[in-house]
Amino acid sequence: MEATWQEQLRTVGLRVTRPRLSVLQVLAERPHADVDTIVTAARAVHPTLSPQAVYGVLQALVSSGLARRIEPAGAPALFELRVGDNHHHLVCRSCGAVADVDCAVGAAPCLTPSDTAGFVVDEAEVVFWGLCRQCRVETPAETAQVLQHDNRGGTIA
Ligand SMILES: [Zn+2]
Ligand SMILES: [Zn+2]
């Protein structure tokens, strides 16, 4: 695995460094991890790694296209290594679990705006919100009804 990451780093013009390899390893093991999780996991392997260094590595990986940053509304930014396929995300309102979902319909960008205002659109970022399987099982019917009621209230207001 590490050999591949070294090649990938070189391909995008980044020097191969231990911190970069560590962060790549963490991202491979924990898709959709937030910064705190990545810092903690990377420092477990490299205690000398500062949070600032980890932020720097994430920044470099994202701007070079090796990693992708997603930002579900109201949630911390999440990072993943699955890039370039215009995939979307399912996010659980209750526990924050994130799952990948392939292109919504047909080829990227999946959504066709009614008016592109002259833009050439090549990507659409879609977040589907709901309750994950686990939370649906754990959520008592009463709470589920309250949630539904809240949703209706929101629509009327
Ligand atoms: Zn959940
Ligand atoms: Zn993803």
Side-chain angles (χ1 to χ4, degrees), residues 138-149:
E138 287 173 2
T139 306
E142 262 177 52
T143 316
Q145 277 167 10
V146 171
L147 282 174
Q148 276 176 13
H149 182 76

Side-chain angles (χ1 to χ4, degrees), residues 31-32 68 70 79-82 85 87-89 98-101:
H32 313 123
R68 179 174 167 197
I70 58 167
F79 296 85
E80 65 181 341
L81 292 180
R82 190 177 158 185
D85 64 353
H87 77 272
H88 309 298
H89 294 96
V98 178
D100 285 332
V101 53

